[in-house]
Amino acid sequence: MTEATISEPAHRLKPLTPAMLRELSARSNLRGAAQTLGHYGVIMLVGALIWKVSSNYGVLWALPLMAVQGYLVAFLFMAVHETAHKTAFKSRGLNLAVGYLSAFIIGLPYEYYCLFHWDHHRYTQDPDKDPELIVGVKPTSDTQLAIAYSGLLQVAGRLWLMLGHAVAGKVSVPWIPETKRATIVAEARVYVALYAPLLALSLWFASALLLWVWIVPLIIGQFFLRPYLYAEHTGCEHTRSAFENTRTTYTGTVVKWIAWNMPYHVEHHAYPSIPFHALPKLNGIVDGEIVHRGRGYIATTRETWDWFRRQRQAS
């Protein structure tokens, strides 16, 4: 997943020379640390404010802060994603440390996600092989569509799958090869073993700290994360070209920072070896080749919502 390749070898321009690709693919511990510390630092600051406000004035007064925290915590998914590519840092150890921590916080086992995401890149938009399409919800009503956009089903599904792996000790999904299934089972059991004492300690001390600064915000944050994720490929062609099967969404600086520059998603899929901090520069090179161009996430969400409705009506 970190090879310096273009998704479509026969793409007409191939605008990057080998020298340019090497330069853009340079990884940086400093840039990765700055992004990670900034993201986690804001989470800790907002979490402290939530606890102070809820303790002094009541939980209702802290709800706006929980929404902000939700956005920040849910988008730790981007840290998991970037470290899965091993491009967040030059150091493999730092990639793994940040990846495991972030994955634990959002309830998405890291090794499992790496394998899931590997197949997503190999088979992007292939309805029979892309894991995102295989597990994706297929709403049959506007109510089901709204629930899908909340992200709650997706979170519940992955937690249930993790619990199933831990309890049953079996893995049957096609994107996990036979040689990796024992690892996925062991990982799931470690996650459950770590979550259990956190729950027990919270109950023992009758503390709602983790509930208000972590769990509730994580749930709220899915309402921001899921529309963002749908924007990446929904309504794009089922081809091998990243310039046609993926969407780049042009948005504000703050959103790009929280999302680790992944709104530049065509760029990421076309050149997955290029780290997050170089994607804006890459966009300046390949921008003219991008077919699907979102103009902000509100407008793009309207487009993806309408696409899902048209698919339902046509079926």
Side-chain angles (χ1 to χ4, degrees), residues 70 74 106-107 135 137 143-161 214-227 229-230:
I106 65 172
V135 304
V137 295
T143 298
Q144 291 184 10
L145 187 57
I147 293 172
Y149 270 82
S150 75
L152 300 180
L153 286 178
Q154 289 83 355
V155 172
R158 76 191 188 209
L159 291 175
W160 182 253
L161 183 65
W214 176 23
I215 305 303
V216 169
L218 180 60
I219 293 171
I220 294 173
Q222 304 311 308
F223 289 83
F224 301 109
L225 179 62
R226 183 50 48 180
L229 293 175
Y230 279 149

Side-chain angles (χ1 to χ4, degrees), residues 250-263:
Y250 295 83
T251 185
T253 301
V254 173
V255 175
K256 286 185 286 189
W257 178 76
I258 294 173
W260 292 54
N261 279 332
M262 279 304 118

